[in-house]
Amino acid sequence: MRPDVTASAGRRVVVLLSGTGTLLQALLDAGPDGTAGPDGTAGPPPRWSVVGVVCDRPDAAGLARARAAGVATATVAPADFPDRPAWDDGVARAVEVFAPDLVVLAGFMRILGEPFLRRFGGRTVNTHPALLPAFPGAHGVRDALAYGVKVSGCTVILVDAGVDTGAVLAQRCVPVEDGDDEASLHERIKVVERELLVEVVDRMTTRGWTLDGRQVRWGATADGGDRR
Ligand code: GRF
């Protein structure tokens, strides 16, 4: 079992993003702050909180959201690294600084390589705006619309070495409406995706999980270990 670096402050969540960061915002808004109970007394300690944000684009709006919330940020732009292996290692190092219990890819639009998975595999989750295994990749919403599906949705997975191939943690459906275009469907999916991601982070950090083949089951590991 990994050492619990800050038991009193709850589980440490690090978020990776590339874009506007509304998923990050949902996590920032939902992270229990534990500062005050209803009568002004100290509340219970937080179960988890976002302790760091790592971004591959210096101009990403999500970085401003992190800063506004007082969360430390790091930027790992590929242009600042000599090659792909160096970038992979740089991302892993940037995340490692925050000593995460859980890593969340929230609109992070790059594939993470072996140096990252070696350190954080098994405790990194990604959210995807389609019902996997259908429509993986960078254009899941567009591809689902082009196929003509009547229902799409979002999927939260444990990240593995493939593209959107990891074990499924949770899914939720969103109906496709007549006249939907990529932007309108994606916006409706993101409303549901934000809720689902917060629920999954809550569940992973409070109940833990067991991976049996591809099946994710909620609760402590079969060997009595604790994956929270
Ligand atoms: C989400 O739909 C995510 O699944 C996809 O990009 C979107 C990110 O949204 N990869 P935001 O940047 O958090 O608003």
Side-chain angles (χ1 to χ4, degrees):
M1 194 170 90
R2 281 171 287 113
D4 190 344
V5 281
T6 53
S8 61
R11 302 286 159 169
R12 299 170 66 85
V13 176
V14 170
V15 174
L16 274 67
L17 58 79
S18 303
T20 56
T22 64
L23 290 163
L24 166 69
Q25 192 66 55
L27 293 168
L28 292 171
D29 293 346
D33 65 14
T35 48
D39 56 358
T41 57
R47 295 187 303 270
W48 59 270
S49 56
V50 178
V51 296
V53 169
V54 176
C55 182
D56 61 325
R57 292 182 43 186
D59 59 342
L63 282 173
R65 294 179 188 271
R67 292 187 191 116
V71 172
T73 63
T75 304
V76 283
D80 295 338
F81 295 84
D83 53 28
R84 171 70 207 236
W87 179 80
D88 275 325
D89 192 56
V91 176
R93 285 170 188 270
V95 170
E96 205 155 45
V97 164
F98 297 116
D101 296 296
L102 188 66
V103 180
V104 176
L105 311 187
F108 187 66
M109 300 307 286
R110 293 181 191 275
I111 307 298
L112 291 165
E114 197 273 334
F116 185 91
L117 293 176
R118 190 166 6 103
R119 278 174 259 191
F120 301 107
R123 54 186 165 124
T124 298
V125 307
N126 187 26
T127 171
H128 180 73
L131 292 175
L132 293 171
F135 312 116
H139 305 292
V141 179
R142 187 188 307 173
D143 294 344
L145 269 178
Y147 194 88
V149 298
K150 299 300 182 195
V151 175
S152 191
C154 50
T155 306
V156 183
I157 59 171
L158 276 170
V159 172
D160 67 8
V163 176
D164 299 325
T165 53
V168 174
L169 289 155
Q171 292 185 297
R172 201 156 289 166
C173 295
V174 174
V176 177
E177 292 175 1
D178 290 349
D180 257 337
D181 60 15
E182 185 178 359
S184 65
L185 178 58
H186 199 176
E187 271 315 308
R188 286 208 318 287
I189 289 173
K190 280 171 63 168
V191 171
V192 174
E193 198 178 7
R194 291 192 278 265
E195 277 181 21
L196 188 64
L197 183 61
V198 169
E199 279 180 31
V200 168
V201 169
D202 254 335
R203 217 180 294 171
M204 292 179 90
T205 53
T206 54
R207 295 178 62 184
W209 70 95
T210 307
L211 192 57
D212 176 11
R214 288 193 57 85
Q215 307 299 317
V216 173
R217 305 195 200 290
W218 298 107
T221 56
D223 62 2
D226 184 349
R227 301 293 305 274
R228 288 176 295 168

